[in-house]
């Protein structure tokens, strides 16, 4: 039996396709919110009480990670196992980083913590989808 046909069959299964679509949609939402936040940071740059250096660094890093996650999500939907593992890893790491930003006192203003909370909820959805049975079964060894 050809293992490639089995992999193609799993990749094209309706549950798998739905999981890929959901993951990509969530990542696109995360990227969109991150870009809007970066635009807001740029527009508010002259207000140091609202935007400081830490906010700039975080906003740029989040947009970069979101773009990378979208790249991984698109390649995952094409059956790329390494991209799938990277998507799982990066989404989980970003959720942990967001939790730390929210709970630790420091350089981040409340508005950014709220925005990061929304991003965290979106990414939690990504984590749940990419670790769910339909997607795991596609990439099972």
């Amino acid at each position: 039996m050809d293992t490639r046909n089995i992999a193609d069959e799993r990749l094209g299964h309706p549950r798998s396709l739905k999981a890929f679509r959901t993951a990509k949609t969530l990542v696109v939402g995360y990227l969109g919110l991150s870009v809007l936040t970066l635009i807001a940071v740029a527009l508010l740059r002259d207000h140091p009480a609202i935007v400081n250096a830490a906010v700039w660094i975080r906003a740029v890093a989040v947009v970069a990670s979101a773009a990378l996650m979208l790249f991984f999500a698109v390649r995952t939907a094409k059956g790329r196992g390494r991209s799938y593992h990277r998507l799982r890893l990066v989404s989980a790491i970003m959720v942990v980083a967001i939790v730390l930003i929210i709970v630790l006192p420091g350089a981040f203003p409340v508005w950014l913590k709220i925005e990061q909370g929304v991003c965290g909820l979106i990414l939690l959805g990504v984590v749940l989808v990419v670790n769910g049975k339909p997607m795991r079964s596609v990439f099972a060894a």
Side-chain angles (χ1 to χ4, degrees):
M1 184 180 278
D2 183 11
T3 57
R4 180 68 185 151
N5 289 338
I6 294 170
D8 288 342
E9 184 179 306
R10 284 189 231 145
L11 191 61
H13 192 279
R15 284 190 316 238
S16 301
L17 293 174
K18 182 180 178 187
F20 292 134
R21 188 172 44 253
T22 301
K24 284 192 292 188
T25 300
L26 288 168
V27 172
V28 166
Y30 173 57
L31 177 60
L33 180 56
S34 300
V35 168
L36 289 174
T37 301
L38 184 58
I39 291 168
V41 167
L43 292 174
L44 297 169
R45 67 185 173 271
D46 294 329
H47 302 280
I50 298 171
V51 174
N52 57 30
V55 170
W56 270 105
I57 292 167
R58 179 69 189 163
V60 171
V62 169
V63 169
S65 75
L68 192 60
M69 285 178 61
L70 181 58
F71 176 75
F72 294 152
V74 168
R75 289 179 54 90
T76 295
K78 293 178 181 177
R80 307 289 185 153
R82 293 184 109 181
S83 290
Y84 168 65
H85 293 294
R86 289 173 179 156
L87 180 60
R88 287 178 70 190
L89 183 65
V90 172
S91 61
I93 289 170
M94 289 305 294
V95 168
V96 171
I98 288 169
V99 168
L100 291 175
I101 283 171
I102 292 171
V103 299
L104 294 177
F108 298 108
V110 172
W111 74 268
L112 186 73
K113 290 183 179 201
I114 293 168
E115 181 271 345
Q116 285 291 281
V118 174
C119 285
L121 291 174
I122 293 170
L123 286 180
L124 186 58
V126 174
V127 169
L128 293 173
V129 170
V130 300
N131 288 291
K133 187 176 180 180
M135 203 173 289
R136 274 193 345 258
S137 68
V138 171
F139 298 101

